[in-house]
């Protein structure tokens, strides 16, 4: 009994460390979205060029997960996790780039290195979370993913304030935080699950009827698409309205943090009533709030509507990650690479595709593309005929 309690506490301690590390890592994508208008101004880039820069970062961050997720399936030391924290520090090199003809090229190269660093940590982080057999899959996945969305939210918010005061020098605190997180990960001796490991909570979970992996990937991709468009276009639209840049950062932060809160709160219920059924209910509840918010986007009071919409609509993503853990097909690392990297890789081309449209017709036209992914994901869950 004592050993069981000790294992439970140790696993929760390691889960919280991984969650904090996820917070630090995903603060960088947060700043890349919300400070993008500031980068465009500093380096004299158009909205479309800024969309290219963001897309390069996102492709690197998500593509690397698909490329390496299946590697080292029998290794339990998080080598890619260590390397990723070091590569994230490349973001500080933005400060040495000068505006000019080649600035976009250099910024894209730096973004690719930094994005790859962010991305390569995710499959192994989830393999480490998967190792815990004293914590239910829905809870451990949701807590870990909540750290990421909270980091994205915090990075998106605090970076706008830091950028106003310190310009490109505001990127260095994110580099320092990455080094500190790496040292903590090493100190706590984080280890990975290997394919032969089968935690008890997943054994029980796999006995139930799970949706096919392709369905989970399709739904997660649609949710990621809506989130990607939101995080890109809302700061741009608010900036063009002449409203303070910090409101754009705050809006992205509210949507992100509300999704993390929603996932943690609803994961307990999802474990009882069925995770897939809970995803459907949450999407149906949240979509009306997202649509209403879009009509009132320039008003701070509308952030309350956004919080409720994000609580339900973005809150489904960590639950979809939890479902994917138990699905059959491919190895664990590859499943995690697809659900936390591949889906965002498929979604991250949207800013570059929609950038010319925003240049020509204005950002207001793009706003109402945001709910489409949520609506299609809900539709897919209904027509699939899957009940649990």
């Amino acid at each position: 009994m004592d050993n069981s309690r000790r294992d439970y506490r140790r696993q929760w301690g390691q889960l919280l460390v991984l969650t904090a590390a996820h917070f630090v890592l995903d603060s960088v994508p947060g700043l890349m979205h919300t400070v993008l208008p500031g980068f465009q101004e500093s380096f004299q880039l158009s909205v479309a060029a800024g969309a290219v820069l963001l897309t390069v970062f996102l492709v690197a961050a998500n593509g690397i997960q698909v490329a390496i997720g299946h590697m080292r399936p029998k290794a339990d030391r998080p080598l890619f996790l260590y390397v990723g924290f070091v590569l994230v520090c490349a973001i500080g090199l933005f400060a040495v780039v000068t505006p000019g003809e080649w600035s976009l090229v250099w910024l894209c190269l730096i973004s690719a290195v930094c994005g790859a660093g962010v991305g390569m940590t995710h499959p192994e982080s989830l393999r480490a979370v998967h190792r815990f057999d004293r914590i239910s899959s829905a809870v451990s996945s949701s807590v870990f993913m909540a750290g990421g969305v909270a980091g994205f939210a915090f990075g998106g918010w605090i970076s706008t304030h830091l950028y106003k005061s310190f310009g490109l020098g505001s990127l260095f605190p994110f580099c320092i935080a990455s080094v500190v997180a790496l040292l903590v990960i090493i100190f706590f001796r984080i280890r990975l699950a290997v394919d032969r490991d089968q935690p008890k909570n997943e054994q029980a979970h796999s006995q139930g009827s799970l949706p096919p992996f392709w369905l989970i990937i399709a739904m997660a991709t649609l949710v990621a698409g809506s989130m990607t468009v939101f995080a890109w276009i809302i700061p741009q639209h608010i900036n063009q309205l002449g409203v303070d840049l910090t409101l754009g950062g705050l809006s992205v932060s509210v949507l992100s943090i509300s999704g993390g809160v929603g996932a943690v709160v609803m994961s307990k219920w999802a474990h009882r009533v069925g995770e897939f059924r809970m995803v459907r209910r949450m999407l149906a509840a949240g979509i009306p709030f997202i649509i209403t918010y879009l009509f009132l986007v320039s008003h701070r009071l509308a952030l309350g509507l956004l919080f409720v919409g994000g609580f339900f609509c973005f809150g489904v993503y960590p639950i979809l990650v939890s479902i994917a853990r138990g699905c059959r097909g491919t190895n664990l690392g590859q499943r995690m690479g697809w659900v936390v990297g591949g889906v965002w890789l498929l979604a991250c081309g949207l800013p570059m595709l929609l950038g010319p449209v925003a240049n020509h017709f204005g950002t207001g036209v793009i706003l109402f593309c945001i709910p489409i992914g949520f609506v299609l994901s809900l539709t897919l869950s209904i027509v699939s005929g899957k009940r649990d």
Side-chain angles (χ1 to χ4, degrees), residues 83-98:
V83 175
F85 277 109
V86 175
L87 295 183
V88 165
C89 297
I91 190 68
L93 295 176
F94 269 33
V96 302
V97 177
T98 56

Side-chain angles (χ1 to χ4, degrees), residues 142-227:
S142 295
V143 170
F144 173 77
M145 297 304 293
V149 296
F152 186 94
F154 179 78
W157 171 73
I158 195 65
S159 61
T160 56
H161 290 277
L162 292 174
Y163 197 83
K164 286 180 64 178
S165 300
F166 304 105
L168 294 170
S170 63
L171 301 175
F172 291 111
F174 293 89
C175 301
I176 296 171
S178 180
V179 173
V180 172
L182 170 60
L183 295 176
V184 173
I185 287 287
I186 294 173
F187 178 79
F188 274 82
R189 299 177 59 83
I190 299 297
R191 294 294 181 264
L192 311 178
V194 297
D195 278 351
R196 63 179 177 270
D197 292 340
Q198 180 79 352
K200 296 176 182 177
N201 56 34
E202 182 172 302
Q203 290 177 0
H205 186 57
S206 63
Q207 293 174 1
S209 176
L210 288 170
F213 185 56
W214 70 263
L215 177 61
I216 299 305
I217 292 299
M219 292 177 61
T221 299
L222 291 166
V223 170
S226 285
M227 287 296 300

Side-chain angles (χ1 to χ4, degrees), residues 244-295:
D244 190 356
L245 179 66
T246 58
L247 179 59
L250 182 59
S251 300
V252 174
S253 299
V254 167
L255 182 64
S256 301
I257 198 68
S258 63
V261 173
V264 172
V265 171
M266 304 304 289
S267 63
K268 279 290 187 181
W269 291 353
H271 188 65
R272 295 170 187 166
V273 306
E275 292 174 328
F276 195 77
R277 181 179 299 169
M278 181 58 72
V279 166
R280 183 186 298 125
R281 292 177 180 178
M282 290 171 68
L283 286 170
I287 288 170
F289 289 93
I290 294 292
I291 294 175
T292 305
Y293 161 77
L294 295 176
F295 286 99

Side-chain angles (χ1 to χ4, degrees), residues 17-74:
V17 167
L18 286 165
T19 301
H22 198 192
F23 177 96
V24 170
L25 284 166
D26 279 13
S27 66
V28 177
L31 81 87
M32 283 295 295
H33 284 85
T34 58
V35 183
L36 186 60
F39 291 154
Q40 291 166 190
E41 183 177 349
S42 294
F43 297 104
Q44 301 169 10
L45 305 176
S46 67
V47 173
V52 170
L53 176 61
L54 179 61
T55 299
V56 167
F57 175 86
L58 294 175
V59 167
N62 296 298
I64 193 71
Q65 299 184 55
V66 178
I68 70 171
H70 65 285
M71 295 181 179
R72 308 178 69 245
K74 304 298 182 182

